[in-house]
Amino acid sequence: DLSGSRVLFLGPSRYALENFDYSVLKKYDYVARINKYLETNENLSKSRCDIIFLNSNSCNFYVANPEKATKLEDKFIYVKTELDHMNLEHKYPHLKIQNMQDFYKTHLRYFKPSEPYYGTLAFNFLRKRCNKLDIGGIDFYYKGFCNRGEYIEGYYDLESTKKQQSHHDIRKDIAFMARILDHSNINLINRSQEVFDEIVRRQDDT
């Protein structure tokens, strides 16, 4: 139950995390991360992860690598589909897993024919459940798509295509984010705010 809590969603963008002050993490009740964050080289002694959002690729990774899955044991885990939930829960029935499939489906109407980025879905999911949500470590693909070099080391293990995947449209995610940022309980921090403002400015100029 996240009601009444203050949550920080901290993404894996190398650029947005540059000079990030990790001492602020102690101000939050929960720190949320995404996908293969737990496989990165970030110093876990200074960082935190209480909540993790796993996409299908990340779920499959942990199902196939039980020695890695021990990192999930004290986390609140959110997955996007019923199938991901079933696969992860079958392998690790003791984990705390919640399926977001119904929440995900309600967003498809807004984004179709594309689908939202998982981070966008996670932001809206959290802000509807907590008292205050801050978002950092996200560059909204300002520095490029599917590029291993733009993430903290160890996060992205797919081919660096540097292209947006065909089933996504970042313009719709930016428009959606602009709308939910009007709510008083959600806020971008540090470079994430700077980057978002620059992307919106560029879109307005085109």
Side-chain angles (χ1 to χ4, degrees):
D1 183 7
L2 301 177
S3 59
S5 64
R6 186 175 185 187
V7 177
L8 171 66
F9 184 102
L10 197 58
S13 165
R14 189 186 301 271
Y15 176 77
L17 287 172
E18 191 173 314
N19 300 320
F20 183 79
D21 180 9
Y22 284 87
S23 68
V24 304
L25 300 188
K26 60 179 178 287
K27 301 190 305 184
Y28 296 93
D29 299 300
Y30 300 97
V31 176
R33 315 305 287 257
I34 194 167
N35 294 331
K36 292 186 180 174
Y37 161 74
L38 294 171
E39 306 310 310
T40 70
N41 68 345
E42 190 175 56
N43 186 344
L44 295 180
S45 66
K46 68 176 183 179
S47 190
R48 275 176 63 191
C49 176
D50 308 299
I51 297 169
I52 189 135
F53 290 85
L54 300 178
N55 63 11
S56 295
N57 181 55
S58 300
C59 287
N60 292 338
F61 172 81
Y62 286 114
V63 167
N65 295 276
E67 74 283 3
K68 302 284 189 180
T70 57
K71 301 171 186 176
L72 299 173
E73 291 184 355
D74 60 344
K75 310 292 186 275
F76 294 100
I77 304 163
Y78 293 94
V79 299
K80 192 166 65 173
T81 70
E82 179 64 31
L83 180 60
D84 291 336
H85 190 175
M86 289 172 56
N87 289 340
L88 205 57
E89 187 175 58
H90 177 73
K91 186 78 172 183
Y92 311 111
H94 61 287
L95 293 181
K96 295 173 285 190
I97 309 167
Q98 183 169 332
N99 168 22
M100 298 169 58
Q101 181 165 290
D102 289 342
F103 188 80
Y104 166 64
K105 285 183 175 179
T106 64
H107 288 68
L108 292 180
R109 290 190 291 271
Y110 177 86
F111 287 88
K112 67 180 183 182
S114 57
E115 63 179 81
Y117 280 96
Y118 198 20
T120 303
L121 189 71
F123 304 152
N124 203 34
F125 182 87
L126 289 171
R127 70 106 182 161
K128 285 177 173 287
R129 287 160 175 77
C130 69
N131 183 56
K132 177 68 175 177
L133 173 65
D134 288 341
I135 300 169
I138 296 290
D139 66 10
F140 300 98
Y141 300 98
Y142 175 74
K143 303 290 285 184
F145 298 94
C146 301
N147 184 355
R148 188 176 302 172
E150 302 305 334
Y151 299 100
I152 52 179
E153 187 176 345
Y155 177 82
Y156 193 82
D157 62 354
L158 302 177
E159 180 184 358
S160 294
T161 63
K162 302 185 181 181
K163 295 179 181 179
Q164 179 171 224
Q165 294 171 310
S166 60
H167 59 287
H168 289 307
D169 183 349
I170 189 61
R171 295 169 299 177
K172 288 189 175 182
D173 287 72
I174 294 298
F176 185 83
M177 283 299 301
R179 191 175 72 181
I180 66 173
L181 282 168
D182 286 338
H183 294 267
S184 60
N185 75 326
I186 183 171
N187 182 53
L188 296 174
I189 63 173
N190 300 100
R191 277 191 167 174
S192 292
Q193 181 67 67
E194 297 170 16
V195 168
F196 186 81
D197 291 342
E198 174 63 16
I199 292 173
V200 170
R201 185 190 66 77
R202 287 184 181 185
Q203 289 187 353
D204 289 344
D205 290 343
T206 59

